[in-house]
Amino acid sequence: MDISPITIPDVVVRRLPIYARSLAYLAEEGIESVSSQELGERIGVTAAQIRKDLSYFGEFGKQGIGYNVEYLLGHIRRILGLTDSWPVALVGAGQLGQAIARYEGFSTRGINIVGVFDNDPDKVGMDLGRLIVQSYAEMAKLIDNQHIRLAIVAVPASQAQQVVDQLVEHGVRGILNYAPIVVQVPDGVWVRHIDPVALLHSMTYYLAREEARSHVDQQ
Amino acid sequence: MDISPITIPDVVVRRLPIYARSLAYLAEEGIESVSSQELGERIGVTAAQIRKDLSYFGEFGKQGIGYNVEYLLGHIRRILGLTDSWPVALVGAGQLGQAIARYEGFSTRGINIVGVFDNDPDKVGMDLGRLIVQSYAEMAKLIDNQHIRLAIVAVPASQAQQVVDQLVEHGVRGILNYAPIVVQVPDGVWVRHIDPVALLHSMTYYLAREEARSHVDQQ
DNA sequence: ATGTGTGAATTACTTCACAGCG
DNA sequence: CGCTGTGAAGTAATTCACACAT
């Protein structure tokens, strides 16, 4: 029934934003052309990987030259659906939620936080500069009315699942989850997790082994 | 020269902290035993994957029963080097750095932020509750004296590389980088990146396609 | 010359499926 | 029985290497 034959591997989709990010810096620097080799060195992937990844979507380079930075960046942005900015609901107005709400780096990259929500009555009404914390009731209305598809969850782990359930119920289809818990969502809903502690733990593994090794070496 | 034959795939190492996190919740709930099936359902991986991952490190389960939660958790913590807490330097005392400094979830999981540093004279001296912002000169001293191996970088992209260079120079071997740039490090130094915008962009890809599809369907 | 785009080869990762143990 | 641990089988992802375009 569906015509599109090949689905793009998720690993590739996850790399595209990194390519876009690096290309944006190159554009800022006024660099007009870049080879897969050069781009790869900047972001720590092989040239072949970049070429292969891009080949899923078309032919954007010129043999013997490389890629036109603006041209490729425009294409990747279009592929990622970043031609318009995306309205995003932010749930949780604690330390982390406040920092996210105040972070300037979202709007410059097509992410527009349109509401901050918390169920703590003490937080509702709080002024976060550009935004004022609202209740969950307002959240439901906003998502419905403005057709919000993306949300950031920055609530404690104990509340994350029920918040996600509510978001999904109202039509959110992509969730960036800062709570240290794997949330369950139905098919068709995307979740990405951010757990800084888990990332640190995946490094302590190597550091602990290195530490042990160097002690042995000293014997 | 080295005896250890098989090196563990990094994907496996990255999953261990997720297993540990989930096991810690199970322990809190008072659950004593868990099967790979049950654990897998909680965290969204297959039972076979969990068993295979664990098999790299030993045999921790009992046939017909499953895994003792405390026992397995203890083993994973030991594997990850989490028997003692890790001292960590935090660089950058902006909105994000402040939120990280105040976050309670580090200390409960073996990560102890022992210093916050910023090169902005206006920020140095700032009271962040448990910690006071110090200068980069103090940072170098602390890393040297306390033998700090882990750092969190929460400075603007433009400063990230030079901060990382300094950290590495003083002996830091694991870096959690919040700056939206891929930093270059020598061999033997580990870096993990957190870029919420890139994660959101990897979801807009799917949402944009879904959106387009539903419009076609309506014709 | 230089650097893309891509099938083929390789390597890495996941899942299967079942022997064996409690 | 139920569920682990694990070789074998099956997928997926990456890298190679080269024809071809500029």
Side-chain angles (χ1 to χ4, degrees), chain B:
Chain B
M1 187 173 280
D2 200 349
I3 313 152
S4 71
I6 27 108
T7 69
I8 283 80
D10 189 57
V11 273
V12 175
V13 174
R14 283 164 163 272
R15 276 192 296 263
L16 289 182
I18 309 303
Y19 299 165
R21 200 180 65 183
S22 192
L23 287 165
Y25 287 126
L26 288 168
E28 269 181 36
E29 291 171 31
I31 293 164
E32 291 182 4
S33 178
V34 69
S35 68
S36 57
Q37 181 69 39
E38 292 162 340
L39 187 59
E41 278 164 13
R42 289 214 170 210
I43 60 191
V45 301
T46 65
Q49 178 140 86
I50 291 175
R51 296 203 303 277
K52 181 63 112 182
D53 285 354
L54 296 176
S55 76
Y56 282 103
F57 304 97
E59 307 191 0
F60 309 113
K62 280 204 170 66
Q63 278 107 327
I65 307 291
Y67 300 90
N68 179 282
V69 171
E70 293 283 5
Y71 179 78
L72 180 56
L73 178 54
H75 265 287
I76 294 180
R77 283 193 174 143
R78 222 162 302 141
I79 292 164
L80 292 172
L82 298 173
T83 45
D84 295 313
S85 109
W86 286 77
V88 177
L90 168 60
V91 194
Q95 284 292 339
L96 178 60
Q98 290 176 39
I100 293 169
R102 291 206 157 95
Y103 179 55
E104 311 274 318
F106 285 111
S107 60
T108 54
R109 294 167 71 193
I111 300 297
N112 182 23
I113 296 177
V114 293
V116 188
F117 308 95
D118 204 297
N119 66 344
D120 179 352
D122 292 350
K123 294 228 177 70
V124 173
M126 191 186 226
D127 189 342
L128 299 181
R130 206 174 49 84
L131 294 159
I132 288 170
V133 180
Q134 295 173 274
S135 71
Y136 280 8
E138 297 299 321
M139 176 177 86
K141 275 192 228 165
L142 185 92
I143 294 172
D144 287 340
N145 297 339
Q146 297 202 23
H147 197 57
I148 310 288
R149 313 295 304 276
L150 271 179
I152 301 175
V153 173
V155 302
S158 57
Q159 298 172 33
Q161 184 62 57
Q162 69 181 70
V163 163
V164 165
D165 291 345
Q166 256 189 278
L167 290 168
V168 170
E169 196 188 327
H170 286 276
V172 167
R173 290 293 170 264
I175 292 165
L176 182 61
N177 175 33
Y178 280 86
I181 186 179
V182 175
V183 293
Q184 312 290 330
V185 291
D187 281 1
V189 179
W190 294 86
V191 183
R192 304 289 194 212
H193 292 267
I194 291 183
D195 183 347
V197 178
L199 291 175
L200 287 165
H201 286 174
S202 73
M203 294 191 285
T204 61
Y205 169 80
Y206 297 105
L207 301 192
R209 300 182 97 224
E210 181 60 36
E211 202 78 7
R213 183 186 310 253
S214 66
H215 287 155
V216 171
D217 290 351
Q218 282 166 15
Q219 287 183 338

Side-chain angles (χ1 to χ4, degrees), chain A residues 26-173:
Chain A
L26 288 168
E28 269 180 37
E29 291 172 31
I31 293 165
E32 290 182 6
S33 179
V34 69
S35 69
S36 57
Q37 182 69 40
E38 293 162 340
L39 187 59
E41 278 163 15
R42 290 213 168 211
I43 59 191
V45 301
T46 64
Q49 178 141 85
I50 291 175
R51 296 203 302 277
K52 181 64 111 183
D53 284 354
L54 295 177
S55 77
Y56 281 104
F57 303 98
E59 307 192 0
F60 308 113
K62 280 203 172 67
Q63 276 107 329
I65 307 291
Y67 300 90
N68 179 282
V69 171
E70 292 283 4
Y71 178 78
L72 179 56
L73 177 55
H75 265 286
I76 294 180
R77 283 193 173 142
R78 221 162 304 142
I79 291 164
L80 292 172
L82 298 172
T83 45
D84 295 314
S85 110
W86 286 76
V88 177
L90 167 60
V91 194
Q95 285 292 339
L96 177 60
Q98 289 175 39
I100 293 168
R102 291 206 159 95
Y103 179 54
E104 311 273 318
F106 285 111
S107 60
T108 52
R109 293 166 72 192
I111 300 297
N112 182 24
I113 297 178
V114 294
V116 188
F117 307 95
D118 205 295
N119 66 344
D120 179 351
D122 291 350
K123 295 228 177 72
V124 173
M126 190 186 229
D127 189 342
L128 299 181
R130 205 175 49 84
L131 293 159
I132 289 171
V133 180
Q134 296 173 274
S135 71
Y136 281 8
E138 296 298 320
M139 175 177 86
K141 275 192 226 164
L142 185 91
I143 294 172
D144 287 341
N145 296 340
Q146 296 201 24
H147 197 57
I148 309 289
R149 312 296 303 277
L150 271 179
I152 301 174
V153 172
V155 301
S158 57
Q159 298 172 34
Q161 184 64 58
Q162 70 181 67
V163 162
V164 165
D165 291 345
Q166 255 187 281
L167 290 168
V168 169
E169 196 188 327
H170 285 278
V172 167
R173 290 292 170 263

